[in-house]
Amino acid sequence: MLYAGLDLGQAADRTALIIAEQGGLQPAYSYDVRHIERPPLGVPYPAIVGLVAERMARIPRTPLVVDGTGVGRAVVDLFRQIKGLELVPVLITAGDTATRDDAGYWRVPKRDLVGVVQVLLQSKRLRYSDQLADVRTLMNELATFKATITTAGHDTYAGSDWRTGAHDDLVLSLALCLWYAEREARFRVPAIGPIGMWRPAPWGKRE
């Protein structure tokens, strides 16, 4: 199953869209990054919405997890006008538990987003092709992320702000789609397939 994460850029940061495919077996799902896209700085939000909507139309029934924190709320309203889009708006908080409010927003603790990326990296369940556009940028952002979390320590990483002073739009968009994918997996009835029919994809590399 595919999941998409969108981090809406600000004046000095680019918008980032990542689409990842969930594979493997429950409960230890693995993820292949299938698409990375970063529109240039200065593209107006309505144009961003149109671009992302066009991409999502190619993969119907794929959840689009959008950071609606701050100015993102206005952009979420634009996405809500698109018929057939499975929109998952998120507000990043400093709380302890993910909850859904009356406006349909998921209020997600920063520690949950940090944690899901950390766990998948440590367990080598995150994979991407070195042929993807901007994959080097993603690799650099992941390296910075890992260094920041390691420095923070196991007891305090959840309260650390990995966003300080770094361009990390790809890490956040990845964290959004991975968080929702892992959450959905916990409530999904596992499918039982023929024994011996599954095998790992023969491409890419794990980070």
Side-chain angles (χ1 to χ4, degrees), residues 58-79:
R58 302 179 187 179
I59 46 174
R61 296 182 297 279
T62 296
L64 174 64
V65 190
V66 181
D67 177 16
T69 311
V71 298
R73 282 181 175 270
V75 185
V76 166
D77 289 341
L78 294 177
F79 276 116

Side-chain angles (χ1 to χ4, degrees), residues 118-132:
Q118 184 190 40
V119 168
L120 291 173
L121 285 172
Q122 289 179 342
S123 58
K124 300 188 182 299
R125 289 188 284 138
L126 181 61
R127 182 168 59 182
Y128 43 81
S129 170
D130 56 10
Q131 301 302 311
L132 288 172

Side-chain angles (χ1 to χ4, degrees), residues 4-56:
L6 181 67
D7 176 31
L8 295 165
Q10 307 292 320
D13 297 303
R14 293 167 65 177
T15 292
L17 173 68
I18 280 187
I19 300 171
E21 183 175 11
Q22 186 184 71
L25 300 174
Q26 196 179 42
Y29 287 109
S30 59
Y31 294 89
D32 292 333
V33 176
R34 296 297 190 187
H35 182 78
I36 302 173
E37 190 162 0
R38 300 170 75 224
L41 279 173
V43 177
Y45 285 135
I48 293 292
V49 171
L51 173 67
V52 174
E54 190 276 331
R55 301 292 186 265
M56 299 305 295

